[in-house]
Amino acid sequence: MIPANLEEFEQFLQRYNQCFCDRNLAALRNLYVDDGKITYFDNHAGCDSTDLDHHLQQIHQFF
């Protein structure tokens, strides 16, 4: 049996991955917390971002 918090995290990851499969930036944006303190790291060169809008712009270009 999977603990509830781990199950919730796995569900979140599934939703996150589905956003990429669907190329759905609006749904992806809804998964982020707006605290203004996050740096987004990407595994592609030159795709790191310091704000959500730039991060989603980079993802859009990736799509």
Side-chain angles (χ1 to χ4, degrees), residues 7-38:
E7 186 174 320
E8 289 176 24
F9 181 65
E10 288 179 342
Q11 289 173 359
F12 169 80
L13 290 178
Q14 288 173 357
R15 289 192 312 269
Y16 187 85
N17 287 336
Q18 193 62 50
C19 290
F20 277 86
C21 291
D22 296 342
R23 296 182 178 194
N24 188 339
L25 291 176
L28 184 61
R29 176 183 284 279
N30 288 333
L31 295 177
Y32 285 93
V33 176
D34 183 23
D35 69 359
K37 302 289 183 189
I38 297 176

Side-chain angles (χ1 to χ4, degrees), residues 47-60:
C47 288
D48 296 344
S49 305
T50 55
D51 64 64
L52 181 56
D53 288 332
H54 184 250
H55 175 65
L56 293 174
Q57 186 178 54
Q58 296 288 7
I59 292 172
H60 179 73

